[in-house]
């Protein structure tokens, strides 16, 4: 049996959902000959770890307790009096992660799961890989860091999985890697990689004002608490950079042309959220509507997409054929069209739910199971 020691960084919505999936899938994984052994969990300020990471693991009821603590907005530091675990904070967290990875390096190795939203984890991730561990990412920021750090992180690709950084549970990364490794060069990728912006543009196309759709999307929980985090396009730009680098583009995040759907003068640094929603958004309706009408006059529709070709990588509003997969897109699904030598006239299309804690956590869990062969040499796997 493959025994995989897991240390989870990030206990927000995705991280908690992942722990629930690990617990609920115990019978299935037992049939498959896999044991996922959670030995540590971190949030942004603290970490809990099992005292003996070599042979022990957190009980499932304790993992559920951790999820409840974070759902209630409390801290792991409150667990210091329980004796159930060791609790660390501040700079101790990074040191403890490396201690755990070092202790496990001579046996199974550690699987470090990054479900945080931090840009500060890349050093730890690279060190764990150098200690014969594996890394699974839902966090996009390590893969969009400067190339100097990116190259170190991807230096051992067999020890890295990051499907959920682009399409949640959709097999975008795996498909691209299979195509490239089979000698089918990819010439173009165009995709709608934001469920929020996909929903907004398809609703506006139906005749609703842009401001009304964005406000509704916020109330439905489709956007970030500040919708400008979605409307600015940087989340899509990070996904585009991850895909472009997979294709061999040696570019940085700031070299991607990104179209924001609001002007800089309406940004968070200039006006508060309430003012943006009440007075700023309605001022954007007319310009968006004109672009939609212009696209329609050409027989097209408007979508917010990433476009990656040999000489460019950009993110923004594009006219696409209304008969294409992107043109038919409705709601919050993600769609990716991949053009290659084998798919030159009709692209390979990947479509489905590309957002949500549940979908993303499923993608992370699938990535963890995909690295199980790296742990078959452990003593407990015999």
């Amino acid at each position: 049996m493959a025994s995989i020691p897991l240390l989870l960084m990030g206990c927000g919505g995705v991280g908690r959902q992942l722990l629930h999936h690990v617990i609920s899938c115990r019978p299935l994984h037992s049939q498959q000959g896999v044991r996922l052994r959670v030995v540590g969990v971190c949030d942004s300020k603290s970490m809990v770890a099992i005292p003996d990471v070599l042979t022990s693991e957190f009980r499932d009821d304790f993992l559920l307790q951790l999820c409840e603590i974070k759902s209630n907005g409390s801290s792991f530091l409150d667990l210091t009096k329980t004796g159930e675990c060791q609790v660390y904070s501040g700079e101790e967290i990074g040191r403890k992660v490396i201690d755990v990875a070092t202790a496990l390096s001579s046996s199974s190795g550690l699987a470090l799961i990054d479900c945080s939203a931090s840009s500060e984890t890349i050093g730890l991730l690279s060190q764990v890989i150098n200690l014969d561990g594996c890394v699974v990412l839902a966090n996009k920021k390590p893969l969009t860091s400067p190339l100097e750090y990116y190259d170190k992180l991807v230096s051992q690709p067999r020890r890295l999985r990051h499907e959920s950084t682009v399409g949640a549970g959709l097999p975008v990364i795996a498909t691209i890697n299979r195509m490239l490794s089979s000698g089918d060069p990819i010439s173009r990728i165009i995709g709608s990689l934001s469920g929020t912006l996909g929903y907004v543009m398809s609703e506006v196309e139906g005749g609703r004002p842009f401001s009304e759709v964005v406000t509704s999307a916020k109330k439905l929980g489709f956007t970030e608490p500040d919708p400008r985090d979605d409307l600015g396009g940087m989340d899509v730009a990070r996904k585009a950079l991850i895909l472009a680098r997979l294709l061999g583009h040696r570019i940085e995040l700031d070299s991607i042309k990104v179209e924001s759907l609001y002007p800089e003068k309406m940004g968070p640094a200039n006006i508060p959220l309430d003012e943006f929603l009440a007075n700023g958004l309605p001022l954007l309706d007319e310009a968006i509507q004109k672009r939609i009408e212009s696209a329609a006059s050409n027989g097209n529709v408007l979508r917010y997409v990433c476009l990656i070709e040999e000489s460019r990588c950009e993110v923004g509003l594009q006219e696409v054929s209304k008969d294409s997969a992107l043109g038919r897109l409705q709601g919050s699904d993600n769609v990716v069209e991949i053009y290659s030598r084998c798919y030159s006239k009709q692209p390979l299309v990947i479509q489905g739910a590309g957002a949500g804690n549940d979908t993303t956590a499923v993608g992370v869990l699938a990535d963890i199971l995909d690295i199980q062969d790296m742990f078959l040499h452990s003593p407990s796997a015999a």
Side-chain angles (χ1 to χ4, degrees):
M1 175 175 285
S3 176
I4 306 179
L6 305 182
L7 197 159
L8 171 64
M9 293 195 300
C11 202
V14 173
R16 294 195 300 272
Q17 194 64 51
L18 175 62
L19 292 177
H20 280 283
H21 281 316
V22 167
I23 294 168
S24 65
C25 288
R26 292 290 192 204
L28 173 63
H29 293 162
S30 180
Q31 294 174 12
Q32 297 173 340
V34 182
R35 179 69 184 184
L36 302 184
R37 195 165 59 85
V38 182
V39 299
V41 179
C42 308
D43 62 15
S44 60
K45 297 179 181 179
S46 56
M47 171 183 174
V48 291
I50 201 77
D52 180 9
V53 297
L54 293 175
T55 60
S56 300
E57 63 183 288
F58 285 135
R59 302 188 323 271
D60 288 349
D61 61 336
F62 184 72
L63 293 177
L64 293 175
Q65 181 184 349
L66 295 181
C67 291
E68 185 175 358
I69 287 172
K70 296 310 300 178
S71 295
N72 293 334
S74 301
S75 169
F76 291 154
L77 295 174
D78 297 337
L79 293 167
T80 53
K81 301 177 181 179
T82 66
E84 189 84 26
C85 59
Q86 297 171 327
V87 183
Y88 304 87
S89 62
E91 294 181 357
E92 295 177 321
I93 297 174
R95 290 195 294 266
K96 183 59 181 177
V97 170
I98 297 306
D99 286 347
V100 172
T102 301
L104 290 165
S105 63
S106 59
S107 55
S108 62
L110 173 68
L112 184 58
I113 318 301
D114 188 356
C115 291
S116 74
S118 172
S119 58
E120 306 298 323
T121 61
I122 188 165
L124 283 177
L125 301 173
S126 297
Q127 288 184 71
V128 167
I129 287 177
N130 290 335
L131 288 167
D132 295 329
C134 292
V135 164
V136 174
L137 299 173
N139 182 8
K140 292 178 281 292
K141 291 180 180 177
L143 291 170
T144 58
S145 60
L147 283 166
E148 173 189 357
Y149 303 106
Y150 172 85
D151 288 341
K152 293 177 182 178
L153 183 60
V154 302
S155 62
Q156 299 187 57
R158 292 182 63 238
R159 296 188 175 276
L160 176 68
R161 296 292 184 276
H162 55 96
E163 190 70 76
S164 296
T165 58
V166 172
L170 296 177
V172 178
I173 303 295
T175 299
I176 290 173
N177 282 333
R178 285 172 63 89
M179 294 174 71
L180 295 175
S181 63
S182 67
D184 185 15
I186 294 172
S187 58
R188 185 173 193 257
I189 295 177
I190 181 169
S192 175
L193 294 175
S194 167
T196 300
L197 295 178
Y199 169 82
V200 168
M201 296 315 300
S202 62
E203 287 293 306
V204 171
E205 179 192 326
R208 297 175 64 192
F210 178 73
S211 58
E212 177 186 311
V213 174
V214 173
T215 302
S216 296
K218 183 179 187 302
K219 291 178 179 177
L220 291 169
F222 288 175
T223 73
E224 294 295 329
D226 187 337
R228 289 172 292 190
D229 292 341
D230 299 293
L231 301 177
M234 286 308 299
D235 185 64
V236 179
R238 291 185 185 280
K239 295 177 181 180
L241 179 59
I242 292 169
L243 296 181
R245 286 177 169 179
L246 274 182
L247 300 188
H249 295 219
R250 303 287 294 172
I251 59 175
E252 303 285 6
L253 186 61
D254 60 8
S255 64
I256 297 177
K257 180 182 177 182
V258 182
E259 178 184 5
S260 172
L261 296 186
Y262 63 88
E264 185 176 354
K265 64 182 181 181
M266 293 186 188
N270 296 311
I271 63 172
L273 174 59
D274 289 345
E275 184 179 344
F276 172 73
L277 294 174
N279 303 318
L281 265 179
L283 298 178
L284 305 177
D285 289 345
E286 184 178 354
I288 293 290
Q289 187 58 39
K290 284 183 177 179
R291 293 184 67 173
I292 288 175
E293 291 171 357
S294 176
S297 69
N298 297 324
N300 296 324
V301 293
L302 206 60
R303 295 289 182 263
Y304 195 95
V305 302
C306 73
L307 176 62
I308 305 164
E309 295 178 323
E310 183 176 350
S311 60
R312 62 175 173 163
C313 179
E314 58 189 52
V315 167
L317 290 173
Q318 295 267 351
E319 290 189 22
V320 299
S321 170
K322 62 182 179 181
D323 296 322
S324 67
L326 280 165
R328 295 190 299 269
L329 176 65
Q330 295 293 318
S332 59
D333 275 4
N334 283 4
V335 175
V336 181
E337 298 179 0
I338 304 174
Y339 293 82
S340 68
R341 178 176 57 81
C342 294
Y343 297 92
S344 58
K345 295 182 179 179
Q346 292 293 330
L348 188 154
V349 176
I350 303 170
Q351 178 172 355
N357 294 337
D358 187 33
T359 306
T360 304
V362 166
V364 173
L365 183 56
D367 271 351
I368 294 170
L369 296 173
D370 195 45
I371 59 173
Q372 63 181 282
D373 287 353
M374 304 296 293
F375 295 85
L376 287 173
H377 66 279
S378 67
S380 58

